[in-house]
Amino acid sequence: VQLQASGGGLVQPGGSLRLSCTASELTLRSYTIVWFRQAPGKEREGISCIRRTSTGTNYADSVKARFTISRDGAKNTVYLQLNSLKPEDTAVYYCAAAARGICTWYESDFRYWGQGTQVTVSS
């Protein structure tokens, strides 16, 4: 079972993108979903979380007030809206699913991962 992350691309500073995370063999509303990102030469970091079966969310300070995570149960999709993008947001973005009912940034908690989608912020 694998998640599918999509929606990345090249965008100018200040621009927006919407990333999507879907799964064909998993009901995402039954899982806590976290978006991670990994910039070149840096460790992967958790940036946004939505708790399973609820709308409770959590954000890293670096993206708070700029990024918004949401889910559409009917489409079995979790979105990450990226606004006011900065060059330092350039990274590969991954979604991951955990059975835990609370938000967590520990990668070992996540059983299912997406393949990653590249976001590049550059003028």
Side-chain angles (χ1 to χ4, degrees), residues 4-63:
Q4 293 85 44
S6 62
L10 173 63
V11 63
Q12 293 185 343
S16 298
L17 284 173
R18 189 177 76 163
L19 307 183
S20 299
C21 178
T22 62
S24 58
E25 301 177 41
L26 211 61
T27 301
L28 294 185
R29 66 175 180 268
S30 297
Y31 292 84
T32 290
I33 305 298
V34 169
W35 284 95
F36 291 84
R37 69 182 181 185
Q38 187 167 23
K42 295 187 177 181
E43 293 187 355
R44 188 157 54 187
E45 61 171 342
I47 58 169
S48 184
C49 172
I50 187 165
R51 294 170 55 186
R52 71 179 186 189
T53 69
S54 78
T55 57
T57 58
N58 198 10
Y59 299 91
D61 289 343
S62 59
V63 306

